[in-house]
Amino acid sequence: MIFSSLFFICVFLPVTLILYYVVPRKAKNFILLIMSLIFYAWGEPVYILLMVFSILFNYFSARSIAYYREEDKKGLKRTAFVFNLIINLGLLCFFKYYGFAIENINSIFHWSIHIRSLALPIGISFYTFQTLSYVIDVFKGNVPVQKNVINFGAYISMFPQLIAGPIVRYADIEAQLTERVMSFDKMAEGAAWFILGLSKKVLLANNIGMLYDAIFATDPSRAVLTSWIGIIAYTFQIYFDFSGYSDMAIGLGKMLGFEFVQNFNYPYISRSVTEFWRRWHISLGTWFREYVYIPMGGNRVKPLRHILNIMVVWILTGFWHGAAWCFVLWGIYYGILLLLEKYVWGKILAKIPKVFQHIYTILLFILGWLIFTSTSLTDLSGNFCSLFGILKNRFFDTDTLFYLRNNAVLLVVCGLCSTPLVTKLFTKIASRKGAGFQIIGVIVYAAIFLLSMAYLVNATYNPFLYFRF
Amino acid sequence: MKERIEQQKRIFKYILLVFAMVIIIADACLIIMHEKTFSETENRMLQQFPKFKKETLLSGKFMTQSEDFVADQFFLRDYWIGIKLKADKIIGRQTSNGVILGKDGYLIEDSVAPVPASFEKNLSAIQTFAEKHDDLKIVMTVVPNAVSICDQLLPENMPVHSQKEDLAAIKKAVSKSLTYVDLTSTLSAHKDEYIYYRSDHHWTSLGAKYAFEAMKESLGTSELTGDLGTDTPEAFLNVYNVTESFSGTMASSSGDFSVMDSIDIYVYEIEDFQYVVEYTDAQKKSATVFNSAALSQKNKYEVFLGGNHPQINIKTTNLNKRNLLILKDSYANAFIPFLLPYYQTITIVDPRYYSDDLEKLIADTGITDILFLYNMNTFATDNSLAGVLQDE
């Protein structure tokens, strides 16, 4: 099930909220767990078994780690921890990377091992990382072990962030599992977040995504400007889609009384690649920093080791996004850029006029998305050549004019909404004194909500981009 | 600052109210009025309340049906679709839901690129079939769609998949073993006339008439007049307007109902010439190829032969011993009325719904002529023709 569907909004959400609020406080996590399992089973019923297994295994595994910690049996504690990592990462690798590994082995050795194509359990990368955050912190003694299996299950499977993040660390949410504020105000704020996220996904991402699809379905001999419009469209699509999902998740969390961390903070206004990654998919960056980068020594090591640390983290980050070489390449690309900013031109960059810092960053993340969205290296090189006219492409042609005529408004709206300007202006107007300004605020939200519903009723294009994550 | 937060809280409360109201109304309507089984405007069956069964639950079918149910039975569906169309137009879009919003209110079906595997399979099956039946007179045409003929109606600069090359590929593949008629130049010569509907993906009777005239020589109609008592049946062809309020499939998919089409039918009124139409699936007979009942429903194009049937048999009073077999899609339905006086029997097979033995049918009916008639968009994606032709 995806949030941006009429079924979720009109059936699943109200049913869940009613059940959740009629039962006594103690039973709320139970309802949350049951509804989350139903939510998870909706797309692929068998995988509910995997989810239940993950919950039970990690529950007992973490308790045994905590037990050995109390008993001060370091060896057993370590063994239990390593066993846990093997199972969790093993499952992730089996479902996500098995086919990819076999494919590569086959092509290198010219073997023909049969690949059993498994449907990737939705959200497995997200909830595996959540689980790991818990187990690692229990192992290190940073958080107390969760003794209530229902609370634990509710954390792992919590439907708002189950399929597309944010990756909520256990440490951040532990207290809320037992004590959280549920109020009408928070519910209302949650609805506003949800509507905002929904409209980002349905009105902006889906519509601009059709432009990207149309352009990149054509041969790379297309005009240079057309290619640029296409990749810019994708740049907007991935941002509004992903941050829209995160906003919807945050809104749903609030409706249930939870506070999740912010996941996107206007990444496209960054003035360096380093800043970009502080603003893009923040929960993933935090996870890798906490559980990979810092344990490896972070930056408090010799430069050579630091370079290694950075590259390992970024190759893993890339690979986390999907089992394909282009994702690895994308990770390497960012690893190198971050190192270059750290060791070579970071200081110079900070001194040049701001407008050039923006242009520099925008160009680099757009090229990043080109790598990210390519299905193969040939695909990537074809589109790359097209962007820079290497195939002797024309600069623009009649197709370009058509795409611009049909999408100029949308592109401008997307551009504006990528900056804090629109929100700032809205808050400024809506929080002025007087009922008139309030009404404007409500009307704006109502309008984008109704418009989103209209697009959902007639939805022919509503893709889920994270099935490879 | 505190006041600001208070004000924001108030706004959020009203937003929640709007949010909840829409959901409550939608759900109330779902519960009260979910019996709608068919969408007249969209011309398709709507998902009914799904039955809960163990098998459908485990296969996930129950889930998809539930989702379709909520979407299909959503209250004021047409109204929401209308909003979307307006929004698309406001931001300057010239397509909506895959429909090209052409000039003069024309709603044009976009062209589709052939699916390579089935396309080639169909072409080679046609060749094999034609070679096997080289004793029969076989004619084929694939009709280009409005998107390639009426290019003057397309939005400025719009890139569309060109059907020219696909049509050329078909011609090249089949013309060795049968007579292929290319209608592109014929239809292009009349592209400013009303040869395609504005709100539907079909051609009009006028379009079909021009096509028929272009194909007469290939079909050899001048030798087929038999005992009609006239050498020029066309002289007895009269045109009648049957409706002015046809709103077709393109209107449905786009939500744009601002233009209405009119449907004309062409009827031969030759003395003593009669025919009977037998619909094998419905086991019904009729003395006309026109089905007036369709004029009171949404899809008025079904006035021609009552829509698509697996097999239709027509017997005429022209006893010239020529028996025609037509393998076709819905474009042929508007074309068949022009063929009536020239054959003793016309057997119409729609491979998409036909499951019997075609060879046996050819032998049993003593087929002497065969006509393949498709439109390019259907032919590009068809995956049933080869199966019917190769069936042993």
Side-chain angles (χ1 to χ4, degrees):
Chain A
M1 208 183 312
I2 54 173
F3 301 150
S4 54
S5 73
L6 293 174
F7 184 81
F8 178 82
I9 296 168
C10 295
V11 181
F12 186 86
L13 182 61
V15 168
T16 306
L17 287 177
I18 289 169
L19 287 175
Y20 184 78
Y21 279 102
V22 295
V23 299
R25 208 166 240 283
K26 273 189 169 172
K28 289 196 195 308
N29 282 354
F30 179 70
I31 293 294
L32 184 57
L33 172 62
I34 295 298
M35 293 315 284
S36 295
L37 289 177
I38 293 175
F39 179 88
Y40 193 66
W42 203 256
E44 193 71 59
V46 238
Y47 284 152
I48 197 171
L49 300 174
L50 182 68
M51 177 56 78
V52 172
F53 169 80
S54 277
I55 291 171
L56 292 177
F57 169 73
N58 284 294
Y59 172 75
F60 287 112
S61 170
R63 291 212 61 175
S64 69
I65 293 170
Y67 173 78
Y68 294 132
R69 160 178 288 285
E70 264 168 43
E71 299 286 306
D72 211 22
K73 288 178 178 161
K74 279 194 179 138
L76 283 170
K77 187 184 84 171
R78 184 161 287 273
T79 314
F81 177 62
V82 170
F83 178 64
N84 179 288
L85 290 187
I86 290 171
I87 296 293
N88 275 324
L89 293 174
L91 279 175
L92 181 63
C93 290
F94 176 71
F95 283 106
K96 193 168 171 177
Y97 302 109
Y98 171 75
F100 177 70
I102 298 293
E103 224 170 78
N104 281 291
I105 289 171
N106 280 346
S107 72
I108 292 167
F109 298 106
H110 302 285
W111 292 346
S112 49
I113 306 173
H114 182 62
I115 304 170
R116 273 188 34 240
S117 59
L118 291 164
L120 183 64
I122 203 161
I124 189 170
S125 306
F126 289 98
Y127 74 71
T128 303
F129 269 38
Q130 298 211 146
T131 318
L132 289 177
S133 84
Y134 168 65
V135 176
I136 295 170
D137 280 343
V138 168
F139 173 72
K140 286 169 141 182
N142 292 344
V143 293
V145 73
Q146 176 59 259
K147 291 188 173 141
N148 184 324
V149 70
I150 289 171
N151 291 352
F152 179 69
Y155 161 65
I156 295 298
S157 66
M158 198 182 296
F159 76 86
Q161 28 82 346
L162 180 60
I163 55 167
I167 300 166
V168 180
R169 286 163 64 218
Y170 181 77
D172 291 336
I173 210 171
E174 188 220 343
Q176 295 180 42
L177 283 172
T178 44
E179 283 297 324
R180 54 183 178 266
V181 184
M182 284 167 273
S183 68
F184 188 74
D185 281 343
K186 217 161 152 183
M187 174 81 114
E189 199 190 338
W193 272 90
F194 184 82
I195 290 173
L196 218 52
L198 181 72
S199 62
K200 276 185 179 176
K201 157 77 182 152
V202 175
L203 300 181
L204 300 182
N206 284 0
N207 274 323
I208 204 73
M210 292 195 306
L211 175 62
Y212 157 74
D213 279 4
I215 291 177
F216 273 64
T218 59
D219 193 79
S221 59
R222 70 183 93 86
V224 172
L225 203 53
T226 305
S227 287
W228 278 101
I229 294 171
I231 195 64
I232 288 170
Y234 184 76
T235 301
F236 285 134
Q237 182 189 16
I238 185 97
Y239 168 61
F240 288 112
D241 202 289
F242 209 168
S243 74
Y245 259 102
S246 283
D247 289 354
M248 285 189 272
I250 290 169
L252 293 167
K254 281 186 194 291
M255 289 185 192
L256 300 165
F258 289 96
E259 294 289 347
F260 298 149
V261 286
Q262 193 187 13
N263 210 15
F264 290 87
N265 183 20
Y266 301 106
Y268 291 168
I269 61 165
S270 304
R271 299 210 307 263
S272 69
V273 173
T274 315
E275 186 187 355
F276 174 79
W277 275 103
R278 281 201 296 266
R279 292 169 174 273
W280 178 274
H281 205 175
I282 298 165
S283 64
L284 182 71
T286 310
W287 196 96
F288 272 107
R289 197 181 61 234
E290 289 292 319
Y291 301 110
V292 182
Y293 182 63
I294 291 176
M296 285 178 80
N299 57 5
R300 298 176 177 194
V301 287
K302 284 182 184 140
L304 221 56
R305 176 62 201 245
H306 182 228
I307 291 170
L308 177 79
N309 289 354
I310 291 272
M311 289 316 290
V312 167
V313 165
W314 284 94
I315 287 170
L316 288 176
T317 303
F319 209 39
W320 178 90
H321 286 82
W325 286 115
C326 282
F327 291 118
V328 177
L329 189 64
W330 181 71
I332 294 172
Y333 170 81
Y334 274 114
I336 292 172
L337 281 176
L338 291 169
L339 284 171
L340 287 173
E341 283 190 0
K342 168 101 185 158
Y343 288 111
V344 184
W345 60 58
K347 279 183 188 141
I348 307 164
L349 182 68
K351 280 179 197 146
I352 63 171
K354 277 183 189 173
V355 58
F356 292 115
Q357 297 177 23
H358 281 296
I359 292 170
Y360 155 88
T361 314
I362 289 170
L363 275 177
L364 287 175
F365 66 67
I366 287 180
L367 286 181
W369 292 131
L370 182 71
I371 304 172
F372 185 85
T373 182
S374 295
T375 48
S376 67
L377 294 178
T378 21
D379 184 34
L380 172 63
S381 66
N383 284 321
F384 183 85
C385 292
S386 176
L387 279 176
F388 295 98
I390 295 170
L391 305 167
K392 292 190 178 146
N393 313 55
R394 271 170 299 178
F395 183 64
F396 76 100
D397 56 18
T398 53
D399 290 8
T400 320
L401 295 175
F402 177 81
Y403 291 128
L404 275 178
R405 156 88 172 68
N406 273 262
N407 297 283
V409 176
L410 199 56
L411 284 166
V412 170
V413 171
C414 284
L416 289 175
C417 291
S418 303
T419 70
L421 289 174
V422 177
T423 327
K424 264 189 189 159
L425 185 71
F426 175 78
T427 332
K428 209 171 178 186
I429 293 171
S431 56
R432 295 272 281 277
K433 256 190 181 170
F437 294 108
Q438 274 185 50
I439 293 170
I440 292 175
V442 176
I443 287 176
V444 168
Y445 267 92
I448 60 172
F449 176 54
L450 293 176
L451 203 53
S452 303
M453 293 298 271
Y455 273 79
L456 282 181
V457 170
N458 203 7
T460 45
Y461 182 86
N462 196 2
F464 184 72
L465 296 176
Y466 321 106
F467 61 92
R468 296 174 80 184
F469 281 20
Chain B
M1 190 63 205
K2 205 180 161 207
E3 204 169 311
R4 266 195 173 188
I5 292 168
E6 281 306 310
Q7 171 123 354
Q8 253 186 356
K9 275 187 185 170
R10 274 198 295 277
I11 294 178
F12 288 154
K13 273 180 195 165
Y14 286 114
I15 291 166
L16 178 63
L17 192 72
V18 173
F19 187 65
M21 285 305 288
V22 172
I23 293 173
I24 289 168
I25 295 170
D27 284 340
C29 293
L30 269 187
I31 295 162
I32 302 164
M33 347 182 276
H34 67 256
E35 296 97 352
K36 224 175 144 193
T37 53
F38 184 79
S39 165
E40 278 275 299
T41 45
E42 287 169 86
N43 190 31
R44 65 184 182 91
M45 298 301 290
L46 297 177
Q47 175 68 45
Q48 299 301 293
F49 192 81
K51 285 200 190 93
F52 188 85
K53 274 193 233 146
K54 205 177 144 197
E55 303 86 67
T56 56
L57 183 71
L58 288 179
S59 68
K61 203 175 161 195
F62 176 76
M63 289 77 150
T64 32
Q65 283 180 342
S66 304
E67 292 183 31
D68 291 347
F69 170 71
V70 176
D72 281 4
Q73 305 285 348
F74 204 76
F75 71 110
L76 301 174
R77 220 186 124 77
D78 300 345
Y79 175 74
W80 292 101
I81 294 174
I83 294 183
K84 177 184 180 276
L85 175 77
K86 275 216 184 76
D88 277 341
K89 280 186 173 171
I90 286 171
I91 62 169
R93 287 260 155 123
Q94 291 166 312
T95 58
S96 188
N97 254 14
V99 175
I100 300 167
L101 309 173
K103 292 174 189 164
D104 301 339
Y106 257 90
L107 303 171
I108 302 165
E109 183 185 35
D110 205 349
S111 51
V112 282
V115 180
S118 57
F119 187 65
E120 271 143 38
K121 218 168 112 190
N122 280 343
L123 288 179
S124 75
I126 291 170
Q127 288 169 71
T128 321
F129 177 83
E131 279 157 19
K132 190 160 118 195
H133 293 284
D134 56 357
D135 52 328
L136 306 181
K137 185 175 181 62
I138 305 181
V139 179
M140 173 171 176
T141 189
V142 175
V143 186
N145 297 94
V147 62
S148 18
I149 297 297
C150 305
D151 48 0
Q152 82 279 11
L153 296 172
L154 294 179
E156 226 59 65
N157 299 323
M158 176 153 191
V160 289
H161 169 80
S162 162
Q163 295 188 328
K164 236 181 225 145
E165 286 138 46
D166 302 334
L167 289 164
I170 296 171
K171 187 176 181 175
K172 195 174 164 222
V174 302
S175 48
K176 260 179 258 156
S177 43
L178 52 75
T179 314
Y180 182 85
V181 184
D182 188 350
L183 292 174
T184 310
S185 56
T186 308
L187 292 172
S188 293
H190 297 283
K191 69 180 186 183
D192 291 319
E193 294 171 50
Y194 189 38
I195 55 171
Y196 294 95
Y197 292 111
R198 287 190 180 84
S199 68
D200 195 72
H201 67 284
H202 291 106
W203 57 357
T204 64
S205 295
L206 184 64
K209 184 168 174 279
Y210 289 134
F212 173 69
E213 282 161 5
M215 292 176 73
K216 273 166 79 174
E217 201 189 320
S218 304
L219 292 167
T221 52
S222 57
E223 290 151 30
L224 299 176
T225 47
D227 53 4
L228 281 176
T230 169
D231 287 338
T232 51
E234 281 76 53
F236 299 88
L237 200 52
N238 294 315
V239 57
Y240 298 96
N241 176 270
V242 290
T243 180
E244 296 279 355
S245 58
F246 171 40
S247 167
T249 50
M250 291 296 103
S252 305
S253 345
S254 67
D256 185 345
F257 296 97
S258 56
V259 284
M260 289 284 183
D261 276 299
S262 68
I263 298 179
D264 287 347
I265 58 171
Y266 286 80
V267 187
Y268 288 102
E269 288 168 338
I270 307 167
E271 208 173 329
D272 291 334
F273 172 72
Q274 282 169 345
Y275 60 90
V276 59
V277 185
E278 183 199 0
Y279 299 93
T280 56
D281 57 337
Q283 297 192 325
K284 265 201 314 210
K285 287 191 179 181
S286 167
T288 167
V289 288
F290 303 108
N291 167 30
S292 55
L295 295 172
S296 53
Q297 69 185 36
K298 157 86 177 127
N299 186 6
K300 297 185 169 56
Y301 186 76
E302 290 194 353
V303 70
F304 303 105
L305 289 163
N308 296 318
H309 296 267
Q311 186 187 337
I312 301 172
N313 305 321
I314 300 175
K315 283 198 179 81
T316 77
T317 51
N318 181 357
L319 304 176
N320 64 359
K321 297 204 176 113
R322 293 296 283 262
N323 303 312
L324 173 69
L325 169 70
I326 305 180
L327 293 152
K328 61 94 193 176
D329 65 16
S330 58
Y331 262 55
N333 299 1
F335 182 84
I336 288 164
F338 297 102
L339 294 172
L340 288 168
Y342 296 104
Y343 299 91
Q344 182 166 346
T345 72
I346 300 175
T347 308
I348 303 156
V349 166
D350 193 326
R352 291 170 295 180
Y353 312 103
Y354 185 79
S355 55
D356 287 341
D357 185 347
L358 191 69
E359 291 299 332
K360 188 168 177 296
L361 181 73
I362 292 171
D364 290 354
T365 12
I367 294 297
T368 54
D369 298 72
I370 295 178
L371 169 66
F372 288 91
L373 198 158
Y374 277 81
N375 76 84
M376 189 57 227
N377 272 347
T378 313
F379 194 77
T381 50
D382 177 85
N383 55 11
S384 52
L385 180 59
V388 167
L389 294 181
Q390 291 163 337
D391 203 24
E392 292 305 318

